[in-house]
Amino acid sequence: MADEVVLLDRWPSPYCMRVRIALALKGVICEIKDEDLSNKSTLLLQMNPVHKKVPVLIHNGKPICESLIIVEYIDQVWNDKPSLLPSDPYQRAHAKFWADFSDKMILNKSVSLLTSKRKELEVTTKEFKENLKLLEEQLGDKHYFGGEELGFLDVALLPIITGFKIREIYGKFKIEDEFPKLFAWANRCLQKESVSKSIPDQEKMYGLIVEMRNKFGVE
C-alpha cells in the first residue's frame, strides 16, 4: 500500500520551505495544502493542537511537527535516496548545531522585516551580516554545507535566500560583494530543480514583504 503523505503548508514560511525541499530531494509524492493562517483549518488544529502552526507533515494519518524534526523524519523514512544527515556522529551534531543557529539567530528574527522601521532595519543589518560571515566560514570552499551534495544543513539554511533582496535594499549592501561564497552557494542550489521549485523567488518575497509593511503602516 502506498504511503499517504500530506503537508500542511504556507508558501512564504521559511520553515515550510525546508520541508518542501526535503520532500523534493527524496522524491516523495505529497499532497500540499496551503493554510490560511488567519482562519486555520480544522485539520491543522487537529494535527498540531499544541502550537497550531505549520508546517505539519501527515504520514499515513500521523502528524509530525516542527520543520527540522520533519526534515530529519523524511531523511530517515525515505532512506532509498542519499542521506541528508551525515553518518558520522560528530558531523551530524555539527550540522544540527548550525541548523539550530539559523533558527535562533536568523529565521526567528525575520519578523523584523515586517514590523521594524527602515532605520531600525539598517541597525539589525549589522547583526545579520555578522551571522552570514559565520555561515560563510562554515561553508569554506565546499560546494555545499553538506560537502559535494546538498545535505541537512543546506536544507535548513536555504530559506534565507528568499530574504536576500529586501535585506540588501534596507541594509544597503550586496550579498555578492560581501559574501561571495554564500552567493555562489545560493546560485548553485537554485540550479537544482528540487530547490528552485520548492521556494518562492526573491522578487515574489520582496513584493509580499513590502505589501505587508504597507498594511502595517511601517516605513
Side-chain angles (χ1 to χ4, degrees), residues 11-12 37 46 56 63 75 94 102 123 137 139 142 163 187 190 206 211-212 218:
W11 71 264
L37 299 183
Q46 288 175 341
V56 180
D75 193 34
H94 186 78
S102 75
V123 174
E137 288 171 355
L139 177 62
K142 300 190 296 291
N187 285 336
L190 287 170
Y206 174 71
E211 179 185 329
M212 295 299 291
V218 179

Side-chain angles (χ1 to χ4, degrees), residues 68-81:
L68 292 177
I69 294 173
I70 296 171
V71 171
E72 186 169 0
Y73 178 86
I74 291 168
D75 193 34
Q76 292 176 343
V77 172
W78 288 279
N79 55 15
D80 55 324
K81 297 286 180 68

Side-chain angles (χ1 to χ4, degrees), residues 116-127:
S116 297
K117 294 184 181 298
R118 186 180 290 264
K119 286 191 177 295
E120 293 170 345
L121 280 176
E122 291 173 4
V123 174
T124 62
T125 295
K126 181 176 182 293
E127 181 182 10

